[in-house]
Amino acid sequence: MFIKVVAMLALVAAVSAEHAHSSQHIHKHDGHATEVTFKDHHGHHHHDYYTHPKYHFKYEVKDPHTHDHKSQHEERDGDHVKGYYSLHEPDGHERHVHYHSDKHTGFHADVKHSTHHIVPHHHHH
């Protein structure tokens, strides 16, 4: 997931037009690794290492030329993930999504839409 986010942010930054605004922040917390021992289906013992997953990131794109406006914020601490994103859609709607997830209750999202009137700009030559 973390690698996908970094790749997406690089793509967003690469395609941003002149006068567009793009920002991103990623912070990964590297904790101490804990050894985990488990048996496979043949009864063989295996050793691996587990680090408590913890991160937060946010990004924002505001491009007045293409009207591409979006932002996202997400944080994770162990099995708990929560976040928010907003997106201006081409038809003038704005979508706001607050979500959270954990291993006990699964994924939940609260989606809201709002409408903004689009005023066309006429260029005179």
Side-chain angles (χ1 to χ4, degrees), residues 39-50:
K39 288 184 183 180
D40 63 16
H41 64 277
H42 296 294
H44 298 115
H45 283 86
H46 295 274
H47 300 280
D48 202 350
Y49 293 90
Y50 170 82

Side-chain angles (χ1 to χ4, degrees), residues 2 9 19 24 26-27 37-38 44 48 65 72 75 80 86 88 91 94 98-99 101 112 123:
F2 184 72
L9 293 175
H19 306 291
Q24 57 270 338
I26 300 171
H27 187 87
T37 303
F38 60 95
H44 298 115
D48 202 350
H65 179 70
Q72 181 174 5
E75 56 188 68
H80 299 279
S86 69
H88 289 252
D91 65 358
E94 188 171 345
H98 290 268
Y99 59 90
S101 177
K112 294 186 177 165
H123 298 283

Side-chain angles (χ1 to χ4, degrees), residues 64-67 69 117-125:
H65 179 70
T66 63
H67 303 288
H69 298 274
H117 298 286
I118 297 176
V119 178
H121 292 21
H122 299 286
H123 298 283
H124 299 283
H125 296 287

Side-chain angles (χ1 to χ4, degrees), residues 52-55 75-82:
H52 181 82
K54 186 172 182 180
Y55 66 82
E75 56 188 68
R76 177 178 182 180
D77 190 355
D79 292 327
H80 299 279
V81 177
K82 64 181 178 176

